[in-house]
Amino acid sequence: IQFAHALGCEVTVISSSPKKKEQAFKYGADDFIVAGDNERIKKLYFNFDLVLYTGHADIDWTRVLWTVKTNGRMVIMGFPPAKVSMDLMELIVHQQSVMGSFLGNRAAMRETLAFAQAHNISPMIELMPMRQANEAIEKIKENRVRYRTVLVNDEWR
């Protein structure tokens, strides 16, 4: 959200968790929609140039594809729990592209970090001492971490 905002993009966040709304706006989102709000999502059909999927939930991939403009792209950056299935007729008729992205090379990462520094972009992390590693793992399993937990040695604090 922060990167897209810094690049001057109009950013709409669609999340299954209404709890993320306030943070989405703090990061620079222009709009926030709860994934279950079918009426609002229908208004977004063929609206986005680019859709970034960063989640890990099982979703209706064809419905997501319907939000992508003709000649638009969907980039899957998260790891869905099940096989991705969508209506390929929609993909073909609207000349859309679907691709995956995981990591960049060193040059891309340096460029990303420089951009983040220049635009004051920082991650939201929760620091926890190494001795609480098991507690950190439980928080992750229970989906109680926003957005990353970083374990640190007590001596480094």
Side-chain angles (χ1 to χ4, degrees), residues 49-78:
D49 297 306
L50 174 67
V51 170
L52 297 177
Y53 172 84
T54 61
H56 54 271
D58 196 15
I59 62 173
D60 183 339
W61 290 96
T62 297
R63 279 193 66 202
V64 173
L65 198 58
W66 287 342
T67 67
V68 180
K69 285 182 178 178
T70 296
N71 296 314
R73 287 181 286 170
M74 178 168 43
V75 180
I76 301 172
M77 301 173 75

Side-chain angles (χ1 to χ4, degrees), residues 87-99:
D87 184 351
L88 293 180
M89 182 67 77
E90 293 292 328
L91 185 73
I92 295 166
V93 168
H94 299 288
Q95 301 179 63
Q96 298 159 323
S97 300
V98 177
M99 62 182 289

Side-chain angles (χ1 to χ4, degrees), residues 37-140:
D37 188 343
N38 295 330
E39 291 307 310
R40 289 219 39 220
I41 290 177
K42 282 181 185 176
K43 293 177 183 175
L44 299 175
Y45 286 177
F46 305 105
N47 186 65
F48 300 124
D49 297 306
L50 174 67
V51 170
L52 297 177
Y53 172 84
T54 61
H56 54 271
D58 196 15
I59 62 173
D60 183 339
W61 290 96
T62 297
R63 279 193 66 202
V64 173
L65 198 58
W66 287 342
T67 67
V68 180
K69 285 182 178 178
T70 296
N71 296 314
R73 287 181 286 170
M74 178 168 43
V75 180
I76 301 172
M77 301 173 75
F79 293 96
K83 289 185 179 185
V84 173
S85 176
M86 63 184 70
D87 184 351
L88 293 180
M89 182 67 77
E90 293 292 328
L91 185 73
I92 295 166
V93 168
H94 299 288
Q95 301 179 63
Q96 298 159 323
S97 300
V98 177
M99 62 182 289
S101 179
F102 184 56
L103 293 174
N105 58 33
R106 286 183 182 182
M109 290 195 186
R110 282 190 196 101
E111 184 179 339
T112 299
L113 290 171
F115 184 88
Q117 184 176 18
H119 291 86
N120 200 26
I121 295 171
S122 59
M124 182 180 211
I125 61 171
E126 179 180 347
L127 297 176
M128 293 184 73
M130 192 69 72
R131 66 183 174 343
Q132 292 181 330
N134 290 334
E135 181 182 330
I137 291 168
E138 285 305 310
K139 285 182 79 169
I140 292 167

